[in-house]
Amino acid sequence: AEKSPGKWQEAVQLLKARSVDLRNAYSEVKRAEGQWRVALAQALTTINVNGTGSHLLISPSTGIVSGGVFVQSADTMAVSASLVQPLVNVGTWHNIGTARQEEDVARLSVEEVKRSITTTVANNVVAVVVAERVAELNRIGLKSALERLTLAEKRFELGTQTALDVARARQDVDAARATLVQGDESLRRSREALGLSLGDDAPVGVRHDVDINGLADSLTALCAPLESVAQRPDQLVARGRVAVAQRRHDNVWLQFLPTLNMASNFNSTFNNAPNSPVTVWNIQGILSVPLWEGGARYGNLRATEAQVEVSAMNAEGARRNAVNEIRQARRA
């Protein structure tokens, strides 16, 4: 039995609950949030604590003579802690902004997916209704063709029509049957397409009491009209991806800059020697100047530059498609 949502709102709720594309879009937002946190961590303090313990097994009698007294030193314990705080790292700070912008683009992609799948479902609902009406008309047409054939055959028996008239009537019946079969297949495919758009692998029909006239009002409530095509979510996403690609290209340039970190290390060693424990604590500044790493940065520059060009062309293609979609929608 085919499923049939009773109202357009029910179809929208079913769509949001089962749409694979929408779930993927939300997953991309989650991934972008995680990537932003990873980028932020590169600018925060890193603290590590290590503890070690050792016991000599090969020469357990080995020791240290202190004041003529043999002291056993087989067991040793050590505790160390390190702290690193980036002070100057322009590339890391820039990466944080890039990750935040990627997160914004991911959120815009969710809105674009909502718009896209809602439009698809609306078109499929209308297609099912139209296919049902066409299938009904095809049955009426076949019934009329059969009635004309019967009438032509009776008139032929009475001698008021020729065999040619009967042959034409039979051709009309054959054409009506073929049209009926094609219309039924189109109806089945329309219902299957509606089912897929609603996240179901079974055909989904449309109940006869569904208010199709209210469909436009519902879509207007869900999708507010925009002043220009540039404000559509897909256009915002396309331009956002261009900006992200440009920032990634800038990130590579910033890898040529030196970095400055502050580091502090604490070490304490414990054993059964008289001078134990031995504790050392230092603080240091680390200036790192990248000179040559085999040319990887130059290769990344070319790759990111190409990605900027690809993103720009994709944005232009998305703009052209949007203009064409609006033109076709107005004609429809």
Side-chain angles (χ1 to χ4, degrees):
E2 295 178 350
K3 302 178 181 179
S4 301
K7 298 180 180 180
W8 167 250
Q9 289 77 8
E10 294 179 6
V12 173
Q13 293 176 358
L14 183 62
L15 174 65
K16 292 181 178 180
R18 305 194 61 178
S19 174
V20 175
D21 294 336
L22 189 57
R23 290 185 181 181
N24 288 339
Y26 280 121
S27 297
E28 284 298 319
V29 173
K30 186 183 298 185
R31 183 195 63 81
E33 292 173 348
Q35 292 298 322
W36 174 81
R37 184 62 198 184
V38 171
L40 178 63
Q42 303 301 316
L44 301 180
T45 303
T46 302
I47 302 176
N48 293 311
V49 177
N50 298 315
T52 60
S54 63
H55 177 76
L56 295 177
L57 298 177
I58 300 298
S59 302
S61 61
T62 302
I64 301 174
V65 177
S66 177
V69 179
F70 182 81
V71 180
Q72 183 71 30
S73 61
D75 297 325
T76 303
M77 293 185 296
V79 176
S80 64
S82 63
L83 180 148
V84 177
Q85 173 60 54
L87 299 179
V88 179
N89 194 329
V90 181
T92 297
W93 301 336
H94 195 269
N95 283 336
I96 296 174
T98 302
R100 177 63 73 183
Q101 191 158 358
E102 289 181 344
E103 183 179 344
D104 295 337
V105 172
R107 297 185 187 279
L108 286 173
S109 297
V110 172
E111 299 303 320
E112 164 56 17
V113 171
K114 289 181 179 179
R115 182 197 70 84
S116 177
I117 61 180
T118 302
T119 303
T120 300
V121 171
N123 290 334
N124 289 338
V125 168
V126 174
V128 170
V129 174
V130 172
E132 289 177 348
R133 300 294 185 269
V134 171
E136 182 179 354
L137 292 175
N138 290 339
R139 281 170 172 75
I140 295 175
L142 177 59
K143 181 179 179 181
S144 299
L146 290 172
E147 291 176 350
R148 290 194 299 271
L149 176 60
T150 301
L151 181 59
E153 291 175 343
K154 289 183 178 180
R155 288 181 177 179
F156 176 73
E157 293 175 357
L158 297 175
T160 58
Q161 282 190 338
T162 63
L164 181 59
D165 295 328
V166 176
R168 289 175 177 173
R170 289 175 179 170
Q171 289 179 351
D172 292 340
V173 171
D174 293 339
R177 283 199 179 99
T179 302
L180 176 63
V181 171
Q182 294 175 358
D184 288 348
E185 177 62 20
S186 178
L187 174 58
R188 294 188 187 96
R189 294 191 178 190
S190 298
R191 289 172 174 171
E192 291 170 351
L194 178 58
L196 289 176
S197 62
L198 291 175
D200 199 336
D201 55 1
V204 175
V206 178
R207 288 170 47 177
H208 295 288
D209 58 348
V210 172
D211 184 14
I212 298 300
N213 294 327
L215 180 60
D217 297 335
S218 300
L219 285 176
T220 302
L222 291 172
C223 304
L226 301 176
E227 295 181 358
S228 66
V229 66
Q231 297 178 350
R232 278 190 13 166
D234 59 337
Q235 303 303 301
L236 297 177
V237 170
R239 293 198 300 273
R241 288 173 178 169
V242 174
V244 169
Q246 183 61 54
R247 290 187 65 91
R248 289 176 178 172
H249 183 63
D250 297 338
N251 288 344
V252 180
W253 278 115
L254 295 177
Q255 293 177 8
F256 290 86
L257 299 179
T259 60
L260 176 62
N261 295 333
M262 186 273 290
S264 178
N265 295 286
F266 174 86
N267 297 278
S268 183
T269 303
F270 303 87
N271 53 39
N272 51 2
N275 296 327
S276 177
V278 178
T279 302
V280 177
W281 184 19
N282 62 38
I283 185 171
Q284 55 187 336
I286 303 174
L287 177 63
S288 177
V289 181
L291 297 178
W292 178 250
E293 79 303 327
R297 288 173 295 181
Y298 297 97
N300 288 331
L301 281 175
R302 292 178 61 86
T304 53
E305 183 179 358
Q307 188 60 44
V308 171
E309 296 175 356
V310 171
S311 300
M313 291 300 100
N314 290 338
E316 176 61 20
R319 186 195 66 81
R320 295 176 184 177
N321 290 334
V323 172
N324 192 47
E325 288 177 2
I326 294 174
R327 186 184 299 115
Q328 292 177 354
R330 289 173 177 171
R331 288 203 308 267

